[in-house]
Amino acid sequence: MTYLRAVYTIWLRDVIRFFREKTRILGMLGQPLLYLLIMGNGLASTFKIPGAPPGFSYIHFIYPGIIGMSVLFTAIHSAISIVWDREFGFLKEVLVAPVPRWTVAVGKALGGSTVAMLQGSILLLLAPLIGVSLSALTVLKLLGVLLVIAFAITSLGITIASRMESMEGFQVIMNFLIMPLFFLSGAMFPLRGVSSWMETLMRLDPLTYGVDALRNIMYRGTPLGDYLVQFPLGTDLLVISAMALLFVGAGTIAFNRRE
Amino acid sequence: MIRVEKLVRKFKNMTAVRGISFNVDRGEVFGFLGPNGAGKSTTIKMLATLLKPTSGRALINGYDVVRQQDRVRRSIGMVFQDPSLDERLTARENLYFHAMLYNVESRLFKRRMHEVLEMVELSGRAGDLVRHFSGGMKRRLEIARGFLHYPKVLFLDEPTVGLDPQTRKKIWEYIHVLREREDITIFMTTHYMEEAENCHRIAIIDHGEIVVEDTPANLKKMVGGDVITISAGNNQSVMDKLAERFGLRAVVSGRGLKVEVEQGEAFIPVLIREMGEDIASVTVQKPTLDDVFLKLTGREIREENVSTLDRRRVFARRRLHR
Ligand SMILES: Nc1ncnc2c1ncn2[C@@H]1O[C@H](COP(=O)(O)OP(=O)(O)OP(=O)(O)O)[C@@H](O)[C@H]1O
Ligand SMILES: [Mg+2]
């Protein structure tokens, strides 16, 4: 009970802070929108995939990818706030409190994933504009998947952030970990017919399965579905859940280990 | 309440705390007094379970700070030297989260929140973002937060740095009231000598070692009388003459000289008669803890340096909290 209370406290703080930062919400919505508009429209004309079914538009392809991207960046941003908290001292206040470290890590992971899921769900509102029809049930399923992906990524972020002493390291992490994870996931362009080493990397990228799960739920059963989806939904869900468990474990251990 | 035995903390290539031992009784206010880098914060962090001691042992409220961390944390409250508020939350939210983490019931929380905010005169600002507070208001809020859960032992690491004298005095009044009413034991660090006089007992720490530990009154007795500050054109010749004619050993302090004598007021006429032409001005003071520190270490905890350091710190806080 006291543990739950501690998790809830840490979670609540992240959510309150999120709603208070209007510019951050705008910024984090603006970015995916921009991608969607520019890349979706700009590339759609030049970007023809051989063998694509009729009615296929590039924007259908990247829509789930952009949602994945938004969740990825928001989740990482939330996790990195640990480093800010350390720099601004608030973390000390939490660490000296009589609550186990794991509740702090889990609360943080839940807070980050809630915020990321909220971001993702706002993007789901755009579906009709893009010509994707989603039933209420589909939306619920998508939200569930978004939450799991966000939880996994926030936990990964926490694992990294608990090792980081300052914000300087953040750029390095972004450039050498987050961006490759993003591009290899097939969110922006299909990784089909690429060289085999790249395909291997793509299969190793956990985010691939997250994006694929979104496509699975959105498009399965439509002519687009067979074309866009790579793996069975079961595989996708298994991988992202395993990833969530693995990373939250790693995050908790890393967080515990700090002196 | 606090029991420390041969506590040592080493960092990579230096030893910050070199085997200190002391005890603090229930309800006592115990002060650590020392210059920058003496090891005060390092000691406090070890006692609050945030740093592991390299060797030695410390018990808080009967619990070991290494093996019973959770019990220790339940017993203590902490006001850090550096800021530790969430600036993007309101004062009330900062207190609320603290109460949640320390398991304070919500009914109790409401009452205490009013009480502690009243104490630091921030009642009207509970709903404001901490970001919009002044440095002094933030500090007061942190102190209020430390009291919120009525800890058995409260650690205050330089609690009044950067505060004006009235606020400092006010905070000390609250500390004494709450301490008496709730039977709180207080361990604090400071490098303000006048602040240290609020303590029942003081340990003077320098280079990671306790130089002396006693009540402020007894420490002042160690100085052995009144302190006479002399300013003169030629310090060296006045020092020599004082030694030659009165057998007094003077020390250089700031621009002037300090000597201890039994009866300050009675000594002045004698001094003027003997050496009037060498001396520009003379003042007599009852001994302060500054004099004790000077006597024990041969150095001063220089107030002017302290205040520039404070300014730097306050500045650093501002910069950090843009
Ligand atoms: N994390 C650390 N790594 C390396 N050295 C440290 C660390 N923390 C403290 N020190 C060193 O230990 C010594 C004691 O530091 P401490 O912070 O305890 O001093 P203090 O008495 O609190 O001084 P101040 O009055 O400036 O707060 C200093 O020389 C400091 O450089
Ligand atoms: Mg200190």
Side-chain angles (χ1 to χ4, degrees):
Chain A
M1 191 50 211
T2 47
Y3 293 161
L4 271 183
R5 196 180 153 108
V7 171
Y8 167 74
T9 307
I10 306 289
W11 172 83
L12 184 64
R13 169 176 176 253
D14 266 22
V15 174
I16 288 183
R17 281 177 62 121
F18 171 74
F19 281 111
R20 203 156 281 164
E21 285 178 63
K22 302 282 182 312
T23 47
R24 182 179 151 202
I25 302 181
L26 281 179
M28 297 199 108
L29 274 179
Q31 191 191 18
L33 276 180
L34 227 60
Y35 270 61
L36 206 55
L37 281 175
I38 296 174
M39 307 201 66
N41 287 322
L43 289 181
S45 46
T46 50
F47 203 91
K48 290 275 177 326
I49 304 175
F56 169 81
S57 157
Y58 179 61
I59 206 160
H60 292 135
F61 177 83
I62 59 164
Y63 180 50
I66 297 272
I67 295 177
M69 175 190 88
S70 165
V71 168
L72 170 72
F73 288 156
T74 316
I76 287 293
H77 185 98
S78 294
I80 292 298
S81 69
I82 286 188
V83 183
W84 287 108
D85 284 348
R86 173 155 41 241
E87 228 157 85
F88 290 145
F90 183 78
L91 194 65
K92 280 183 300 198
E93 148 80 0
V94 176
L95 292 184
V96 80
V99 296
R101 301 270 150 104
W102 67 261
T103 61
V104 181
V106 172
K108 199 81 200 162
L110 284 175
S113 33
T114 306
V115 166
M117 190 193 67
L118 285 175
Q119 289 278 14
S121 59
I122 296 173
L123 289 175
L124 284 179
L125 295 176
L126 296 176
L129 292 179
I130 289 163
V132 178
S133 66
L134 301 172
S135 69
L137 184 66
T138 315
V139 170
L140 275 184
K141 282 186 194 160
L142 285 172
L143 288 183
V145 170
L146 284 181
L147 187 64
V148 180
I149 301 174
F151 187 77
I153 297 169
T154 318
S155 305
L156 172 66
I158 289 170
T159 315
I160 299 166
S162 63
R163 300 270 147 156
M164 257 164 62
E165 289 297 329
S166 69
M167 286 312 277
E168 274 91 73
F170 180 57
Q171 273 309 321
V172 180
I173 305 283
M174 272 314 271
N175 292 337
F176 291 97
L177 184 71
I178 306 305
M179 293 314 277
L181 278 183
F182 172 56
F183 284 118
L184 283 171
S185 70
M188 303 304 284
F189 42 83
L191 289 165
R192 227 165 263 181
V194 293
S195 53
S196 64
W197 64 267
M198 202 152 167
E199 174 145 359
T200 313
L201 282 181
M202 184 267 288
R203 280 171 182 277
L204 286 176
D205 181 354
L207 205 60
T208 304
Y209 301 88
V211 173
D212 196 59
L214 295 178
R215 293 202 176 115
N216 237 316
I217 296 172
M218 276 192 201
Y219 299 129
R220 174 123 292 174
T222 69
L224 282 177
D226 305 330
Y227 184 71
L228 292 178
V229 171
Q230 283 175 293
F231 308 104
L233 183 59
T235 310
D236 290 336
L237 293 181
L238 197 70
V239 173
I240 58 175
S241 310
M243 180 169 79
L245 285 178
L246 180 75
F247 288 150
V248 77
T252 311
I253 291 170
F255 206 72
N256 251 326
R257 206 157 305 135
R258 290 199 52 85
E259 198 172 18
Chain B
M1 212 53 186
I2 303 177
R3 210 189 166 87
V4 176
E5 286 161 17
K6 302 206 185 85
L7 208 58
V8 174
R9 172 69 204 207
K10 295 195 171 112
F11 292 110
K12 268 164 224 117
N13 45 13
M14 59 102 50
T15 311
V17 174
R18 306 165 187 258
I20 56 173
S21 305
F22 59 90
N23 291 313
V24 182
D25 292 333
R26 178 183 296 270
E28 198 176 10
V29 180
F30 186 84
F32 245 29
L33 180 65
N36 293 133
K40 303 183 295 292
S41 297
T42 307
T43 307
I44 260 194
K45 283 183 195 151
M46 285 193 281
L47 298 184
T49 73
L50 288 175
L51 267 181
K52 284 215 166 57
T54 308
S55 69
R57 209 161 81 101
L59 301 179
I60 307 285
N61 194 20
Y63 303 118
D64 189 295
V65 297
V66 179
R67 281 174 296 135
Q68 296 166 294
Q69 289 197 348
D70 193 52
R71 297 261 170 98
V72 172
R73 289 193 194 138
R74 266 175 228 279
S75 314
I76 64 174
M78 177 84 170
V79 175
F80 292 95
Q81 179 171 354
D82 301 317
S84 63
L85 294 165
D86 187 333
E87 303 240 322
R88 291 178 185 274
L89 297 180
T90 63
R92 183 186 296 118
E93 285 163 347
N94 267 289
L95 295 179
Y96 175 68
F97 287 133
H98 184 87
M100 292 285 281
L101 292 174
Y102 284 82
N103 230 334
V104 179
E105 270 178 57
S106 64
R107 204 163 34 85
L108 214 55
F109 164 67
K110 288 218 181 74
R111 209 188 65 217
R112 289 199 193 157
M113 182 182 74
H114 288 302
E115 184 185 293
V116 295
L117 284 178
E118 191 79 28
M119 150 178 132
V120 294
E121 295 179 337
L122 286 175
S123 302
R125 307 296 298 266
D128 294 358
L129 288 184
V130 171
R131 197 145 61 128
H132 301 145
F133 280 16
S134 74
M137 289 161 72
K138 286 178 197 163
R139 196 62 183 152
R140 273 142 59 199
L141 181 60
E142 281 182 310
I143 294 173
R145 186 178 65 180
F147 275 109
L148 189 70
H149 59 287
Y150 289 176
K152 293 226 157 45
V153 179
L154 180 61
F155 292 102
L156 301 164
D157 199 352
E158 308 205 7
T160 58
V161 161
L163 295 183
D164 55 64
Q166 298 100 291
T167 315
R168 213 184 285 171
K169 192 159 158 277
K170 187 101 205 192
I171 283 178
W172 271 106
E173 285 166 14
Y174 311 133
I175 291 181
H176 286 306
V177 168
L178 262 173
R179 177 189 61 78
E180 248 167 60
R181 208 181 68 204
E182 303 298 326
D183 207 12
I184 296 174
T185 307
I186 292 176
F187 180 99
M188 62 167 300
T189 73
T190 182
H191 48 220
Y192 290 120
M193 293 291 179
E194 74 267 24
E195 184 163 88
E197 306 197 8
N198 284 296
C199 301
H200 297 128
R201 273 189 311 135
I202 293 171
I204 293 184
I205 177 168
D206 193 25
H207 297 306
E209 279 169 312
I210 292 184
V211 185
V212 68
E213 181 205 312
D214 213 327
T215 62
N218 280 344
L219 287 177
K220 281 190 232 161
K221 267 187 220 143
M222 290 176 56
V223 179
D226 298 340
V227 179
I228 295 191
T229 311
I230 301 169
S231 67
N234 185 338
N235 280 343
Q236 195 53 51
S237 94
V238 171
M239 269 169 101
D240 291 345
K241 284 188 189 166
L242 282 170
E244 183 188 314
R245 298 190 192 168
F246 303 106
L248 291 173
R249 204 174 60 85
V251 286
V252 179
S253 155
R255 291 219 196 88
L257 295 172
K258 280 187 175 182
V259 262
E260 286 171 36
V261 293
E262 291 285 335
Q263 296 286 322
E265 288 85 351
F267 180 69
I268 289 183
V270 184
L271 180 71
I272 303 296
R273 206 180 317 127
E274 291 279 323
M275 309 171 47
E277 62 275 23
D278 299 321
I279 292 170
S281 74
V282 185
T283 47
V284 186
Q285 274 174 333
K286 298 291 156 192
T288 64
L289 287 170
D290 288 282
D291 303 312
V292 179
F293 190 83
L294 182 64
K295 178 168 175 128
L296 288 171
T297 64
R299 289 178 294 121
E300 278 193 85
I301 303 190
R302 256 183 247 103
E303 289 288 348
E304 63 264 41
N305 283 2
V306 167
S307 57
T308 47
L309 184 88
D310 281 357
R311 240 174 278 138
R312 208 184 65 212
R313 270 194 194 142
V314 171
F315 177 70
R317 279 167 188 240
R318 288 214 190 105
R319 200 178 39 133
L320 232 90
H321 285 136
R322 250 172 321 160

